[in-house]
């Protein structure tokens, strides 16, 4: 699924060039690498903050929104920020969106491998259809918002904060709905 989305995103690059297919590998690998600080935050959030998946309502909302969504989106955005100097020199807002999408896609690649190993494939099909695009889309939006606020010399920080909060809310809602739906089907998430 990641290969399919990789191909779709490469096809939407505004200026095709010689490195069209190879250049996105760097942001993709940055997305893969962003999983490691995310996993470190998992331990901190669970052990120090007590954010656990099986908490009763409404505490489970803190887990999905303030735990999973917040840590994943911030880690992906941090690794996206490594490309900001290059993106600011290029002055292509669409390229910032695509670069963020490739970072999100790399994160999804690593996360899907982990789910496949741990669940034996039970969650893989639900994630195959939705999570790859969700990570790519949300990181693309957050990355583009960060690019715009830095490019505008922090004149519209409110727009960036609103975009980031919206991305975190969408991610948390996605995880909550997917987990509840799979639990109803008897699949461990």
């Amino acid at each position: 699924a990641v290969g399919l989305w990789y191909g779709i995103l490469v096809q939407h690059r505004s200026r095709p060039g010689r490195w069209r297919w190879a250049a996105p590998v760097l942001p993709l690998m940055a997305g893969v690498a962003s999983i490691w600080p995310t996993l470190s935050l998992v331990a901190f959030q669970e052990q120090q903050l007590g954010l656990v998946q099986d908490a009763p309502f409404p505490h489970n909302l803190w887990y999905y929104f303030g735990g999973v969504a917040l840590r994943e989106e911030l880690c992906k955005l941090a690794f996206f920020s490594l490309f900001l100097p290059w993106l600011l020199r290029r002055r292509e807002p669409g390229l910032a969106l695509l670069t963020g999408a490739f970072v999100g896609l790399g994160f999804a690649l690593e996360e899907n491998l982990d789910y496949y190993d741990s669940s034996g494939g039970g969650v893989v099909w639900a994630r195959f259809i939705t999570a790859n695009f969700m990570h790519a889309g949300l990181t693309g939006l957050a990355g583009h918002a960060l690019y715009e606020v830095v490019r505008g010399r922090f004149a519209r920080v409110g727009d960036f904060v609103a975009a980031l909060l919206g991305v975190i809310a969408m991610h948390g809602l996605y995880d909550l709905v997917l987990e509840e739906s799979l639990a109803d089907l008897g699949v461990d998430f």
Side-chain angles (χ1 to χ4, degrees):
V2 169
L4 173 68
W5 283 111
Y6 187 92
I8 290 170
L9 292 173
V10 166
Q11 292 296 326
H12 285 86
R13 176 94 195 280
S14 62
R15 285 190 274 171
R18 199 168 84 171
W19 296 97
R20 181 181 192 178
W21 289 95
V25 170
L26 287 174
L28 187 79
M29 291 297 105
V32 169
S34 72
I35 200 92
W36 296 315
T38 303
L39 293 175
S40 296
L41 286 173
V42 170
F44 172 76
Q45 288 178 329
E46 288 178 357
Q47 295 169 5
Q48 301 299 320
L49 303 178
L51 295 174
V52 291
Q53 182 176 359
D54 57 355
F57 181 82
H59 301 289
N60 64 339
L61 297 179
W62 283 110
Y63 171 78
Y64 289 111
F65 291 90
V68 176
L70 180 66
R71 70 177 170 241
E72 290 184 7
E73 294 306 329
L74 289 179
C75 287
K76 291 185 296 182
L77 195 57
F79 278 75
F80 165 82
S81 70
L82 300 172
F83 299 96
L84 274 176
W86 174 72
L87 290 167
L88 291 168
R89 279 194 307 267
R90 295 291 303 259
R91 297 182 183 188
E92 293 180 55
L95 185 57
L97 182 78
L98 279 174
T99 301
F102 282 113
V103 171
L105 197 58
F107 184 93
L109 172 65
E110 179 66 25
E111 190 179 53
N112 288 343
L113 291 173
D114 182 49
Y115 276 112
Y116 185 76
D117 287 344
S118 64
S119 71
V123 177
V124 173
W125 288 108
R127 296 189 54 79
F128 180 78
I129 296 168
T130 60
N132 298 300
F133 179 73
M134 191 256 332
H135 278 296
L138 293 179
T139 308
L141 291 173
H144 182 263
L146 180 61
Y147 167 82
E148 288 294 338
V149 78
V150 172
R151 186 177 78 147
R153 300 184 190 265
F154 299 93
R156 299 180 64 169
V157 173
D159 291 346
F160 167 69
V161 171
L164 182 60
L165 290 175
V167 162
I168 291 168
M170 289 300 299
H171 189 150
L173 184 63
Y174 167 84
D175 284 337
L176 176 67
V177 169
L178 182 64
E179 191 274 330
E180 293 298 322
S181 299
L182 291 174
D184 289 345
L185 295 172
V187 177
D188 186 30
F189 185 63

